[in-house]
Amino acid sequence: MDSYRHKGLRKALVSSLRPKGIYNEAVLDAMMKVPRHLFLDKAFEEWAYKDQAFPIREGQTISQPFTVAFQTQLLEPEKSEKVLEIGTGSGYQACILYHLFKKVYTIERLKTLFDSTQKLLKDIGYERIRSLYGDGYKGAPRFAPFDKILVTAGASSIPKTLLEQLKIGGYLVVPVGQGDDKEMLRIKKTGEESYEKESFGIFRFVPFKKGTVD
Ligand code: SAH
């Protein structure tokens, strides 16, 4: 499943992330641990270790490795923390988070993608990731509050419900913008009603959409 050759390719990919600004060693270690080729169809395996986004099932994409590493680094993960990801997609980002957090929750709005990814996560040994089918706009109130929340789809505005589900001191990392270009924001919850916002450049994402699809 994960060969010596795959490990070599992964090592090269991970090394290429450092000069692009990924300095968090724990994040780089996690990128080294997760076999990205298992998230692509076998026919496209050779694309797995290029620093590129790639189409997956149901017209969605697996995010570019740099973007995954960058968003994860912005979260400043701590082993004691609980994280919520919005937009499970292939499940790759959730697996990276799994190596860095105590508990990972992830939500997907497309039922067929949710089902196939949940099966994949079990098959490759990541069954402890808690995957939820639902509308990420609503977050996961049953499991809130979270230390960190990560949105891996492009939003048109800051999702307020997600801010409510953060602990004080927690971060929401979310790409936000009206057009295709989204500004990577990190919002820190500093009090019940107070926040600090930082911006980290422009990225492209598949859209954050309302509602679920059966
Ligand atoms: N984190 C993923 C990236 C997938 S692309 C990975 O590592 O592969 C973004 C995903 O967000 C898509 O699967 C899309 O269906 C999902 N998505 C978009 N809007 C959503 C919403 N409101 N709730 C949950 N998932 C959503």
Side-chain angles (χ1 to χ4, degrees):
M1 255 181 40
D2 191 24
S3 69
Y4 194 70
R5 192 179 81 87
H6 289 127
K7 285 201 181 76
L9 291 169
R10 197 149 70 243
K11 199 159 191 192
L13 170 65
V14 171
S15 307
S16 79
L17 297 174
R18 287 178 192 274
K20 295 178 184 171
I22 307 302
Y23 50 79
N24 183 315
E25 293 298 332
V27 172
L28 291 162
D29 280 353
M31 299 288 292
M32 193 57 217
K33 282 184 185 138
V34 183
R36 191 168 186 265
H37 62 279
L38 301 180
F39 299 82
L40 272 60
D41 288 341
K42 199 129 187 71
F44 302 116
E45 239 190 58
E46 61 177 290
W47 292 88
Y49 297 109
K50 297 181 194 292
D51 192 14
Q52 288 175 8
F54 204 80
I56 54 163
R57 294 150 277 143
E58 307 300 324
Q60 299 304 316
T61 56
I62 178 168
S63 301
Q64 184 185 342
F66 169 71
T67 306
V68 170
F70 191 78
Q71 286 199 295
T72 308
Q73 181 168 275
L74 286 181
L75 290 173
E76 295 178 354
E78 297 286 345
K79 257 295 178 199
S80 56
E81 292 177 339
K82 194 164 92 174
V83 65
L84 171 66
E85 178 198 23
I86 313 294
T88 312
S90 68
Y92 175 68
Q93 169 79 71
C95 291
I96 298 291
L97 297 174
Y98 179 78
H99 291 288
L100 296 161
F101 287 90
K102 188 162 118 199
K103 188 75 201 161
V104 179
Y105 298 84
T106 182
I107 310 180
E108 175 55 54
R109 70 184 282 275
L110 303 176
K111 185 67 166 62
T112 42
L113 188 57
F114 165 79
D115 286 339
S116 57
T117 297
Q118 195 179 39
K119 179 175 183 309
L120 175 74
L121 292 179
K122 286 213 166 68
D123 289 349
I124 64 173
Y126 286 92
E127 63 280 335
R128 290 185 58 224
I129 293 172
R130 186 71 192 265
S131 44
L132 310 167
Y133 166 59
D135 179 358
Y137 267 98
K138 301 194 175 113
R142 272 179 65 200
F143 305 104
F146 299 94
D147 297 285
K148 308 285 166 68
I149 300 179
L150 172 62
V151 181
T152 69
S156 51
S157 61
I158 297 169
K160 296 286 179 300
T161 315
L162 298 183
L163 290 176
E164 286 163 15
Q165 293 179 19
L166 270 184
K167 290 185 190 170
I168 291 171
Y171 290 157
L172 168 66
V173 170
V174 56
V176 176
Q178 289 302 320
D180 285 346
D181 286 346
K182 305 292 183 192
E183 195 181 351
M184 188 65 75
L185 299 180
R186 179 170 68 189
I187 298 145
K188 183 175 183 181
K189 185 163 180 169
T190 52
E192 273 313 331
E193 299 286 336
S194 58
Y195 302 95
E196 274 169 24
K197 191 172 88 179
E198 294 169 278
S199 175
F200 296 89
I202 300 298
F203 289 78
R204 294 222 160 173
F205 279 88
V206 299
F208 189 19
K209 290 189 177 163
K210 286 219 161 83
T212 53
V213 180
D214 279 333

